[in-house]
Amino acid sequence: DDDQDTLYTLSQICQYQKWKPLLACSYPEAEAVLTDCTPSLILVDYHMPGVDGLSAVAKIRKKLPKTPILVLTGDEHISLLCDHDWMIEAVENIVKNAFDHTEKGNFVWIEWKKSASVVQIIIKDNGSGIQPEDLHHIFKRFYRSRFSKDKQGIGLGLPLAKMIVESHNGTIEVDSTLGAGTTFTLSFLIPTKL
């Protein structure tokens, strides 16, 4: 990423998770970093300077076919009035869940956008999808699908994410197709003056 504030936030998240980030501000820098190591996760700014985001993802995928990729995209001038730490927790829980249900080499995509009255954070993956019978239950505490291959979770991440979003007067919606992936849409009304 070329934005220093974004780099700082990402490095803080990585430190919190006890990850060791290797930062690059351009695609040539990223390519040089990837020559020296095989990371367990790659974060890509879709709007990275000097290269088209899709081209960057395609080049990385070709070089490291089994490494998961987290793509970030959105207008850097969008702001959301929220509790920063809790909102990161909500998004992190959804992203973790997405990676738990994608095969090696798949991606998770985080996009943020603003319309006239709503700020949205969209998190989508190209993973296994959610069984239709489970969709109405995934936000219930301790719910675990009988189809889940994830042995780590105890069913609290998505309910916590929903609670955080709703405590910010937002909504969370999920759309999923088996074998194609899942999309979570977090929507927050923009306060207006009357």
Side-chain angles (χ1 to χ4, degrees):
D1 199 315
D2 61 320
D3 180 68
Q4 292 303 314
D5 289 335
T6 304
L7 283 173
Y8 175 76
T9 301
L10 290 173
S11 67
Q12 291 298 108
I13 293 169
C14 289
Q15 286 176 10
Y16 176 76
Q17 293 294 336
K18 295 183 176 47
W19 296 335
K20 295 177 183 167
L22 301 170
L23 303 177
C25 295
S26 66
Y27 184 74
E29 281 183 42
E31 205 167 32
V33 167
L34 293 175
T35 302
D36 298 332
C37 71
T38 303
S40 55
L41 172 69
I42 297 172
L43 291 161
V44 176
D45 176 1
Y46 187 75
H47 300 289
M48 185 179 282
V51 69
D52 167 51
L54 283 178
S55 298
V57 171
K59 288 177 183 178
I60 292 167
R61 175 59 59 232
K62 187 174 181 180
K63 183 175 179 117
L64 299 165
K66 298 283 187 193
T67 303
I69 297 175
L70 177 58
V71 179
L72 306 173
T73 183
D75 182 350
E76 64 187 61
H77 302 292
I78 293 175
S79 61
L80 176 64
L81 183 61
C82 66
D83 182 310
H84 182 261
D85 293 336
W86 279 114
M87 194 56 62
I88 286 175
E89 179 75 23
V91 172
E92 185 180 287
N93 284 340
I94 297 168
V95 169
K96 180 198 171 298
N97 199 65
F99 276 122
D100 285 346
H101 297 282
T102 59
E103 296 294 321
K104 287 189 174 191
N106 283 354
F107 74 86
V108 174
W109 185 284
I110 303 176
E111 177 182 5
W112 52 95
K113 60 185 179 179
K114 179 180 177 182
S115 67
S117 60
V118 175
V119 170
Q120 289 185 316
I121 302 170
I122 301 153
I123 303 159
K124 60 184 173 180
D125 64 61
N126 62 345
S128 58
I130 300 170
Q131 294 286 335
E133 68 187 64
D134 290 329
L135 274 175
H136 299 289
H137 305 287
I138 61 170
F139 295 115
K140 293 178 182 172
R141 289 185 326 162
F142 304 111
Y143 181 77
R144 292 193 32 92
S145 171
R146 63 187 176 101
F147 302 102
S148 179
K149 296 174 186 162
D150 171 27
K151 305 297 182 210
Q152 297 176 28
I154 59 171
L156 290 176
L158 292 178
L160 179 59
K162 183 176 192 273
M163 182 192 76
I164 292 167
V165 169
E166 289 178 347
S167 72
H168 286 83
N169 296 316
T171 61
I172 184 168
E173 299 172 26
V174 61
D175 182 43
S176 190
T177 303
L178 282 177
T182 302
T183 301
F184 285 86
T185 304
L186 289 59
S187 301
F188 304 91
L189 289 175
I190 299 170
T192 58
K193 295 180 183 178
L194 296 177

